[in-house]
Amino acid sequence: MSSIKEAYDSTIGESFTGLKLLIWAIPLGYCRDLMSSGSMDFFSTMIVSAFALLLLGFLVESANNACEKKPELVPGINVFSMALNGIKAIVALSVYFAIAFYGTQICCSYINFGEHTVLSMSLKILIGLLFYAIPVSGFAIYVRKLDIFEAYNLKKIMFILGEAFMMFSYLIIKLGLLTAVVIGFISYLFWLFIGLDNLLINYIWSIAIMYNLVIGANYISQFSEEWMSFYEKKNQVIEDGVKLY
């Protein structure tokens, strides 16, 4: 059974994980500042895009390391390997993300309960989680063997889609609550005594994002191992039964 606590413990407990994530938080904070500035030019866009590609490759490698039970969960900074894995992940998951994005936009455009804004927002969030469970399912399948064709195995997608929705919803809620308690308290202290317009609190937020991303990737890898192993055993039992028959 996949566990947030196990994902957290394995991430935090690994040697040099903290140092690696502290390093990754620096370019993440810089790219975050570029995007929030509202005045991105071509050069800034290229910087953000390159970092996003490397970050995607980093998360894929982290999840794959967890699937393969490697002693080093968080990989070292190998730019070429991460860029390659990032490109492969885009090829493997871009269709699913497009379906999730446009599907959510189209469905949510029909939701309008007038004054009942809470109901409207809740339904939109539910629809978003349902659609984004599709790329999460693809990611869970892909990171196990890093096989692009495997990511588009629709039988496997349909097999784990329902569980992926539940897992993804639980992951968002759990990490959201944890981050709100820990980082929210720290942010409140900064707001009281220093203010929120400073580099240090922005860096702390970037560190929190990196930890959440790695814990999330670890958790999805646990889910992948659990359900893909079950899927393979189920198919093997069916094949053995057909042979016996």
Side-chain angles (χ1 to χ4, degrees):
M1 190 74 173
S2 49
S3 164
I4 286 283
K5 184 179 183 303
E6 183 179 335
Y8 177 84
D9 290 342
S10 59
T11 301
I12 302 301
E14 184 192 334
S15 299
F16 301 111
T17 293
L19 178 60
K20 293 174 184 176
L21 297 185
L22 287 175
I23 294 172
W24 273 94
I26 296 172
L28 176 63
Y30 177 69
C31 290
R32 178 180 169 275
D33 289 341
L34 286 177
M35 294 178 66
S36 61
S37 66
S39 57
M40 287 182 62
D41 54 16
F42 176 78
F43 184 67
S44 300
T45 303
M46 292 301 295
I47 291 176
V48 173
S49 300
F51 176 73
L53 180 67
L54 293 177
L55 182 59
L56 178 59
F58 169 78
L59 294 175
V60 167
E61 289 187 15
S62 297
N64 181 253
N65 288 347
C67 286
E68 295 185 356
K69 303 295 190 295
K70 292 183 178 179
E72 184 183 52
L73 174 64
V74 179
I77 300 177
N78 185 332
V79 176
F80 296 105
S81 173
M82 289 176 185
L84 178 60
N85 279 313
I87 293 170
K88 290 172 62 179
I90 290 173
V91 175
L93 304 173
S94 57
V95 173
Y96 295 140
F97 273 106
I99 292 171
F101 178 78
Y102 289 109
T104 301
Q105 294 293 317
I106 292 171
C107 290
C108 289
S109 66
Y110 292 102
I111 298 174
N112 185 5
F113 293 108
E115 297 179 355
H116 302 285
T117 54
V118 174
L119 180 60
S120 296
M121 184 177 295
S122 300
L123 189 55
K124 288 179 180 179
I125 291 173
L126 179 61
I127 290 172
L129 290 172
L130 282 168
F131 271 104
Y132 278 96
I134 299 172
V136 169
S137 301
F139 183 83
I141 294 170
Y142 173 69
V143 296
R144 194 159 181 250
K145 297 179 181 178
L146 301 184
D147 186 339
I148 294 175
F149 294 103
E150 191 78 358
Y152 288 101
N153 188 323
L154 296 183
K155 287 179 64 177
K156 289 186 177 181
I157 291 290
M158 296 306 297
F159 179 76
I160 68 170
L161 186 57
E163 291 296 329
F165 165 70
M166 297 300 294
M167 177 273 296
F168 183 53
S169 302
Y170 175 75
L171 176 65
I172 293 295
I173 294 171
K174 194 82 173 202
L175 287 181
L177 289 174
L178 181 63
T179 303
V181 171
V182 178
I183 303 303
F185 176 71
I186 295 174
S187 299
Y188 176 70
L189 292 179
F190 269 83
W191 177 71
L192 281 179
F193 299 107
I194 304 176
L196 299 178
D197 187 19
N198 61 82
L199 291 176
L200 182 56
I201 189 61
N202 288 329
Y203 183 53
I204 291 173
W205 289 337
S206 298
I207 295 170
I209 292 171
M210 286 304 307
Y211 268 100
N212 282 339
L213 289 174
V214 173
I215 291 170
N218 192 343
Y219 185 71
I220 293 175
S221 70
Q222 291 181 32
F223 171 81
S224 174
E225 276 299 288
E226 178 184 340
W227 283 93
M228 286 301 95
S229 296
F230 178 68
Y231 175 86
E232 290 169 358
K233 289 177 182 177
K234 177 183 176 183
N235 280 2
Q236 188 61 48
V237 169
I238 293 174
E239 289 176 5
D240 291 343
V242 170
K243 290 177 181 178
L244 288 173
Y245 181 78

